[in-house]
Amino acid sequence: MSGRVMSDFQYVPLDEIRRAMAAAKDDPNERVEVLGALARINVLYMIARAGSGHPGTTFSSLDLVAWLQLNELRVGEDPRNPQDVYFSSKGHDVPAFYALMIALERLPFESLHTLRRLGGLPGHPDVGTATVAMNTGSLGMGISKAKGIAIANRRLGIDGRVYVLTGDGELQEGQIWESLQQAANMHLHEVTAIVDYNKIQSDTWVRAVSDLGDLTRKFEAFGWDVQRCDGHDPAQIGEALSGARAAGDQPSVILADTIKGKGVSFMEGPAMPPEDQMYHFHSGAPDVEQYVRAHTELLAKANKKLEKLGVEPLRVEGVPRPPTRPRSGTQRFIPVYAESLVKQAAQRQDVIALDADLVLDCGLIPFRDRFPERFIECGIAEQDMVSVASGIALRGLLPVAHSFSCFLSARPNEQIYNNATEHRKVVYVGSLAGLLPGGPGHSHQCVRDISSLGAIPHLVMIEPSCEEEVALAVDFCLNSSDESCYLRLVSILVQVPYELPSGYQLIEGRGVVLRDGTDGVVFGYGPIMLAQAVRASEELERDHGFSLKVVNLPWLNRVDDDWLCETIEGCQAVFTLDNHYIAGGQGAMLGARLAELNIDRSFVFRRFGLTQVPESGGNVEVLAAHGLDGASLAEAMQQTLSAMTA
């Protein structure tokens, strides 16, 4: 031990990794075991320091990836363009990949400290990181991408194999099964899929969400060779991969039985669901007590392995934990949504809630427990869920479909449009909306849903600005609107430096002034951008003498013309602020409407929002990187207002 107190986050430095790996150099199985033990310590450090991640699936996949990297993959002359390709389709496990690449010195050791930080290692795989071959996005893409690599290899005369890691919950995605038949028909024996078969998906057990049945028979029916192994036993992993290479002209799948959270006893998920039916270490970071317990256990296991090799115990290094941020004045929308939905369902027997394997994140546990007969778990299958909702609506019931906004708006987009053409009401609730949290990376930062859904007929889109408005929005979607609705919810804990006026009610197409002003007006929605708009307005008044009106317009694709004209009256500049790409956001709608109204006076119109793929990092630094924090907005708006008055 280094002598540092356990208030630090501790990691295994590079010289210690080299020393330990040198002792196991003669036995491939021992090398995998030692590398896995060291990498687990560093993975725990990375996730704890980042404050978020996916420890369960990272630990379950680590031994499989370690074997591939040490014993299977042929790199070739150019490490940036390897002969054999490995990538993860599920993506949540990427801290394991990073830790292994760092230990094998294929990534700079300093990057160990940069998980989910701006300019560092993204929260999900991204090709901007050296050694990452493919991005992840919505689940189910991996085998299709692997097929494409294999087809290109044949065309180019490259003798290379392609290994793709999937999750077992991921097998609920339709694209997985679409990809299998063609691979068999084309005899793509170069492709090996590896299923991290830990039996648990996001927060609960696969069998409780959507049982996969007999996977061996299913894959064989699609013409695939099937191998099975203990995904934590290096010898069995090696034998399974040897069997895959010997499978003739068939593509192969390895069903690797693993344990979610492997290596940390209290994180390890049992084979059968516990009474509460929840797994608690899928996502997030360990708290202080959990981190100390997990680190102590992992370090002891690593040192025990080294002792058998006759090697001295590990020396670890540490960095101080960051201070805890105050939570005063903060709000969290999902619990308020959960309470509001249950309240509405108690009054309306026709409300049916559907979920796409995000029961915890979408706030559906209270509904599921109170109305189990009206709760439908569809699993990782958003297209199926949305079309199920169509059938429910046909019979006059009111389906409310839930997922993360990034998945709900994109993958079942065609199904949502089809539902709209049937003129039946469905409510869609997309959580984790917008640029933040920045840690997971662009696969989870939903900044294009307004553009992808905004043109769908008879679909009203709303993003509430505070807890009070969440409850009002739920009531509007379920009771006041005759049309389908898309409710966009921010999931993170947010500071809300404003209040709605007493007696405020939602009126379609109209907003409310949060801070008055006369020189300019900024339209925004939701707590992330409205908080920054208020701060920008305060700074403009304090430092530059400009008076900026801040307006909350929760309607993302509707605006009342009379209200809009009244709101901008007397302002020299009109700004819009989107928690979304500028293209297709609320600002684009407002700009188009103002142009069509032919208002008989001049003003400057300027939009703020994203213009490039979102950065991965801490929330504060991501906002600043995109020029969407209060200080950056104040500077840009000041320049515009100053030019108007010059």
Side-chain angles (χ1 to χ4, degrees):
M1 296 287 290
S2 65
R4 290 181 172 85
V5 296
M6 281 301 291
S7 59
D8 289 354
F9 293 133
Q10 297 186 340
Y11 62 90
V12 183
L14 183 57
D15 59 346
E16 287 294 278
I17 295 173
R18 290 169 176 167
R19 180 172 68 88
M21 292 300 293
K25 65 181 180 180
D26 296 328
D27 187 321
N29 294 335
E30 283 183 348
R31 282 174 60 79
V32 170
E33 291 180 354
V34 170
L35 181 59
L38 305 181
R40 279 184 169 85
I41 296 172
N42 284 353
V43 160
L44 181 71
Y45 164 82
M46 295 167 73
I47 292 175
R49 184 171 184 182
S52 63
H54 296 85
T57 187
T58 295
F59 286 155
S60 69
S61 67
L62 197 148
D63 301 310
L64 294 163
V65 184
W67 177 276
L68 284 170
Q69 298 298 334
L70 283 173
N71 302 310
E72 205 73 27
L73 297 178
R74 298 169 294 174
V75 176
E77 296 180 0
D78 183 1
R80 295 168 298 180
N81 190 24
Q83 182 177 355
D84 293 334
V85 176
Y86 162 79
F87 64 95
S88 172
S89 179
K90 59 178 182 170
H92 288 165
D93 59 307
V94 75
F97 179 78
Y98 293 149
L100 293 168
M101 292 296 96
I102 290 167
L104 296 174
E105 301 184 57
R106 299 173 193 168
L107 285 175
F109 191 82
E110 293 72 22
S111 61
L112 183 78
H113 313 299
T114 67
L115 179 65
R116 297 187 171 216
R117 297 306 304 268
L118 190 69
L121 300 174
H124 284 74
D126 183 275
V127 297
T129 304
T131 73
V132 173
M134 291 287 184
N135 291 357
T136 55
S138 294
L139 294 175
M141 300 180 185
I143 295 177
S144 299
K145 292 187 174 191
K147 285 160 49 181
I149 298 170
I151 292 168
N153 281 349
R154 289 184 177 184
R155 176 70 176 173
L156 298 171
I158 298 173
D159 174 24
R161 297 191 63 84
V162 189
Y163 300 90
V164 55
L165 183 71
T166 76
D168 47 2
E170 184 178 8
L171 301 186
Q172 292 161 358
E173 277 284 14
Q175 186 176 348
I176 290 284
W177 303 98
E178 291 177 37
S179 69
L180 298 182
Q181 194 66 65
Q182 183 195 42
N185 291 342
M186 295 185 68
H187 305 290
L188 295 178
H189 58 85
E190 303 96 327
V191 174
T192 298
I194 303 172
V195 179
D196 181 9
Y197 200 10
N198 60 40
K199 321 301 186 295
I200 304 172
Q201 37 195 101
S202 61
D203 303 297
T204 190
W205 274 250
V206 174
R207 63 183 299 176
V209 175
S210 185
D211 195 350
L212 297 172
D214 190 336
L215 284 181
T216 297
R217 292 181 62 189
K218 285 184 176 179
F219 276 103
E220 288 178 342
F222 278 90
W224 283 56
D225 170 73
V226 181
Q227 305 285 327
R228 192 153 191 170
C229 70
D230 179 340
H232 302 300
D233 183 323
Q236 288 196 33
I237 296 170
E239 290 174 5
L241 286 163
S242 295
R245 287 194 303 273
D249 64 356
Q250 292 176 274
S252 296
V253 60
I254 296 173
L255 303 178
D257 291 295
T258 58
I259 297 172
K260 199 157 185 174
K262 176 66 174 178
V264 178
S265 57
F266 64 88
M267 292 186 182
E268 292 183 352
M272 296 293 290
E275 289 185 4
D276 63 3
Q277 292 285 315
M278 299 299 292
Y279 175 76
H280 301 289
F281 297 97
H282 170 72
S283 61
D287 61 27
V288 173
E289 186 270 338
Q290 290 169 342
Y291 175 79
V292 172
R293 286 175 60 198
H295 174 83
T296 302
E297 183 176 342
L298 291 174
L299 185 61
K301 288 180 177 179
N303 282 330
K304 187 174 181 180
K305 292 182 185 297
L306 296 182
E307 183 181 5
K308 290 181 179 179
L309 296 173
V311 178
E312 292 293 319
L314 288 169
R315 175 185 60 84
V316 295
E317 296 183 0
V319 298
R321 290 194 186 93
T324 303
R325 294 177 180 174
R327 296 196 172 192
S328 60
T330 58
Q331 296 185 13
R332 192 180 289 278
F333 289 11
I334 299 301
V336 175
Y337 170 75
E339 180 182 353
S340 300
L341 182 65
V342 168
K343 180 180 178 180
Q344 293 289 340
Q347 300 170 0
R348 295 191 54 163
Q349 299 300 309
D350 59 341
V351 172
I352 308 293
L354 300 92
D355 175 57
D357 185 41
L358 289 167
V359 64
L360 177 64
D361 295 282
C362 290
L364 289 173
I365 292 176
F367 186 100
R368 182 195 66 187
D369 293 347
R370 177 83 178 271
F371 308 108
E373 74 285 356
R374 289 195 270 154
F375 174 76
I376 303 172
E377 179 54 77
C378 299
I380 306 174
E382 296 87 358
Q383 296 176 10
D384 176 65
M385 176 181 69
V386 168
S387 292
V388 168
S390 170
I392 291 171
L394 170 66
R395 292 304 187 187
L397 300 177
L398 179 56
V400 186
H402 302 77
S403 187
F404 284 165
S405 296
C406 51
F407 307 139
L408 183 59
S409 62
R411 179 141 287 192
N413 187 277
E414 185 176 0
Q415 286 76 13
I416 293 174
Y417 179 72
N418 183 270
N419 287 359
T421 65
E422 294 172 343
H423 306 288
R424 300 186 187 106
K425 182 175 176 179
V426 179
V427 176
Y428 307 95
V429 181
S431 58
L432 203 75
L435 179 61
L436 305 182
H442 58 73
S443 65
H444 285 59
Q445 291 163 291
C446 186
V447 290
R448 58 189 180 93
D449 52 336
I450 301 173
S451 59
S452 66
L453 297 176
I456 291 178
H458 309 297
L459 179 68
V460 184
M461 304 181 70
I462 313 171
E463 180 172 336
S465 63
C466 60
E467 291 178 348
E468 179 185 349
E469 202 167 41
V470 170
L472 293 172
V474 173
D475 181 68
F476 173 87
C477 292
L478 270 63
N479 300 317
S480 299
S481 178
D482 294 328
E483 300 177 292
S484 291
C485 298
Y486 175 77
L487 179 57
R488 190 179 200 248
L489 295 176
V490 168
S491 294
I492 64 172
L493 191 70
V494 290
Q495 292 279 349
V496 179
Y498 49 79
E499 293 182 358
L500 297 175
S502 177
Y504 169 76
Q505 295 295 320
L506 280 174
I507 300 175
E508 188 171 330
R510 291 177 168 245
V512 62
V513 175
L514 300 178
R515 193 174 194 274
D516 214 347
T518 55
D519 294 319
V521 57
V522 56
F523 292 90
Y525 52 87
I528 303 297
M529 293 307 165
L530 284 174
Q532 302 309 313
V534 167
R535 288 164 187 149
S537 177
E538 292 170 345
E539 185 171 328
L540 282 168
E541 183 174 13
R542 182 185 66 243
D543 298 341
H544 304 288
F546 288 116
S547 175
L548 180 70
K549 183 189 301 184
V550 178
V551 176
N552 166 34
L553 180 60
W555 311 95
L556 304 178
N557 64 341
R558 304 286 170 91
V559 66
D560 180 280
D561 292 346
D562 293 337
W563 172 85
L564 180 60
C565 292
E566 292 170 6
T567 303
I568 67 170
E569 182 65 34
C571 294
Q572 302 175 73
V574 176
F575 304 110
T576 64
L577 182 54
D578 267 295
N579 190 8
H580 187 274
Y581 285 120
I582 284 179
Q586 185 191 72
M589 173 196 70
L590 292 176
R593 197 71 204 110
L594 288 170
E596 291 168 347
L597 289 172
N598 291 317
I599 298 172
D600 186 23
R601 63 181 191 78
S602 63
F603 54 84
V604 171
F605 181 80
R606 183 173 179 184
R607 294 179 292 162
F608 294 93
L610 280 104
T611 58
Q612 59 186 3
V613 175
E615 297 284 354
S616 175
N619 293 343
V620 174
E621 60 187 6
V622 166
L623 279 174
H626 290 283
L628 296 175
D629 61 307
S632 299
L633 291 169
E635 181 180 359
M637 291 174 178
Q638 181 267 327
Q639 293 173 358
T640 299
L641 291 167
S642 294
M644 290 291 297
T645 57

